[in-house]
Amino acid sequence: MRADGPERVFGEWWKADPELEAVRDYFQVEDEDGERFWIYRAGDGVDPATGSHKWFMHGIYG
């Protein structure tokens, strides 16, 4: 029903090279029953080098 995001998080520059390209886009979403979830997509949604582009559940607001 509602969504807020993305809030983009990048890799840490002082770590290994693959970490530099790692990206996560976080979203806060709410379903039709009012349940709220924190989800993220690994990668930027465009470039495969930034991550798998798979979606993950990070947390549930209660």
Side-chain angles (χ1 to χ4, degrees):
M1 297 299 294
R2 298 179 201 197
D4 185 30
E7 179 180 342
R8 180 157 289 174
V9 178
F10 289 95
E12 298 160 330
W13 60 266
W14 61 88
K15 294 199 173 185
D17 287 342
E19 182 70 19
L20 291 173
E21 295 180 352
V23 174
R24 283 189 181 176
D25 285 338
Y26 284 88
F27 297 82
Q28 295 178 36
V29 297
E30 183 177 314
D31 69 12
E32 60 277 351
D33 295 324
E35 297 289 326
R36 296 176 57 213
F37 308 94
W38 194 16
I39 61 174
Y40 73 89
R41 178 184 58 220
D44 65 4
V46 178
D47 185 356
T50 62
S52 67
H53 298 155
K54 293 182 181 178
W55 289 89
F56 298 90
M57 175 79 67
H58 191 82
I60 300 172
Y61 294 97

